Every structure is written in C-alpha cells, then in structure tokens.
Amino acid sequence: MRKAEELRYLALAIQRDSSRAFAAMLRPLGVTPSQSEVIRILGDFGPLTLTALGRLHISESGDKPSRLVDRLSERGFIRRETDPEDRRSSVISLTARGALLENQIHAVERRLDASIAALTEDEQLETILDVLRPLAGALPAGQKLARRLGDERCVRRDQTRSSAAATSAPDGLAEPEFGLALLPRA
C-alpha cells in the first residue's frame, strides 16, 4: 500500500468510527452531528448570516446549512431575524433553548475528545496535529476548520492568506484561493 493511500484509509477509519460514536452520543439529545455543528458554530461565533455559517460548517451530511437552519428553527433552537445592515439577508442566532442545547453538545464533545485523547500521549497528539494541519489546510473542509479556529498552522508554508482573513470575524473572512484542484470546492 502506498503511503498516501494508507494515510487516506487511516483518516477514513478514524473519521468513521469517531463520527459513529459522536452520533450515538448525540442521539439522546435529539440532534444529528450536522445539526450539533450548526449549534456549536452559533454558540462560538454568535449571530451569523447564513453565508458566514456556510463558510464555517464542515459536516459531511450533505445537508445545506439553510436546511439545517430551517429544521433547528422549527424546533426552537435558533431564530432568524432580518439583518439590520442588509434587509435582504437574515441573521441567525441561538435561542435560550438553543444555548442550553449548545452546552449539552459541548459536554458530549468533551467526553468524545477525552476518549480520543486517551488513545495517545499528548506529545504524540501534538506531532500528529502538526503533520495534519497543513495537509488539511490545502483542502476545502480544512480551510473552513482553519477559519473556525483562526489557525494559521492549518495553512501550508507555501500558501499565503490576507491579514483580513486571519484576523476578521467570520463574515469578514476572505475566501482562500488555494486547495487541491481535483477536489470540489466547498
């Protein structure tokens, strides 16, 4: 097996098993991993436009953020209000019920993260992250994660980003102009 192929399969195995575990842990809360990601993004970044939410959402479910927002709004977890700066647009935020759910989701994430961290030493984990960050930064989903984390370590050394992209709020982030040409843009 080629090394790149092995890396691809290792990443897939880790992703599948951790995603299954996360979905099972979320089931009692009545939300999917994609829905929980929307809730957590809104909890971390406050009110956002749908466009800004889409630039930060990396879920693989295939659900578009607008569908997720509709479902979560129907359940009373988020609200849509007219954007005071652009009346054609909506601003999405957590309701009080959504904020409670966000705390529960965060607790589930901490339990899952602790179980993953228990599988390796801190130094090993840091080394793994140092290797994976630039690789992920070359990919559309990794770029979304880098925007969420505000993390320049996710950008390969030969790539540049504008200072606005590195320091602005999610609505002000510039779209990165790099990525693997063979992969679809998110």
Side-chain angles (χ1 to χ4, degrees):
M1 183 176 284
R2 296 176 315 276
K3 289 181 182 182
E5 180 182 20
E6 183 179 6
L7 173 63
R8 189 167 40 88
Y9 280 113
L10 286 169
L12 180 62
I14 293 165
Q15 185 273 335
R16 281 188 178 163
D17 286 343
S18 63
S19 290
R20 285 182 187 135
F22 188 46
M25 294 168 80
L26 287 171
R27 206 164 288 124
L29 301 179
V31 293
T32 66
S34 294
Q35 292 170 335
S36 74
E37 185 180 3
V38 168
I39 295 289
R40 288 286 288 128
I41 291 169
L42 290 173
D44 288 345
F45 293 98
L48 294 172
T49 64
L50 190 57
T51 300
L53 176 64
R55 291 174 50 75
L56 300 171
H57 187 258
I58 60 173
S59 178
E60 67 173 31
S61 72
D63 283 335
K64 295 190 183 284
S66 60
R67 288 188 191 137
L68 293 167
V69 166
D70 289 343
R71 286 187 210 123
L72 292 167
S73 180
E74 289 167 5
R75 296 180 61 200
F77 295 123
I78 61 176
R79 76 174 68 81
R80 284 182 184 218
E81 297 173 327
T82 302
D83 185 344
E85 296 177 19
D86 181 359
R87 302 195 60 68
R88 297 168 295 168
S89 183
S90 296
V91 175
I92 305 156
S93 60
L94 293 177
T95 62
R97 186 172 178 218
L100 290 173
L101 178 62
E102 195 257 343
N103 287 331
Q104 294 172 311
I105 291 167
H106 193 60
V108 167
E109 289 176 334
R110 284 192 304 267
R111 285 194 341 255
L112 178 62
D113 294 346
S115 67
I116 292 170
L119 298 173
T120 187
E121 299 292 325
D122 282 343
E123 288 178 13
Q124 291 173 319
L125 190 55
E126 194 58 45
T127 300
I128 293 166
L129 292 172
D130 286 343
V131 170
L132 292 178
R133 282 181 188 119
L135 178 60
L139 305 171
Q143 293 165 11
K144 287 183 177 191
L145 180 59
R147 286 194 289 273
R148 277 172 56 181
L149 299 175
D151 195 344
E152 287 299 309
R153 295 174 297 178
C154 293
V155 179
R156 289 194 339 222
R157 286 178 183 81
D158 62 337
Q159 297 168 333
T160 60
R161 295 172 68 187
S162 71
S163 60
T167 60
S168 297
D171 274 326
L173 290 176
E175 183 67 33
E177 294 297 326
F178 49 85
L180 297 181
L182 299 177
L183 296 175
R185 300 287 293 178

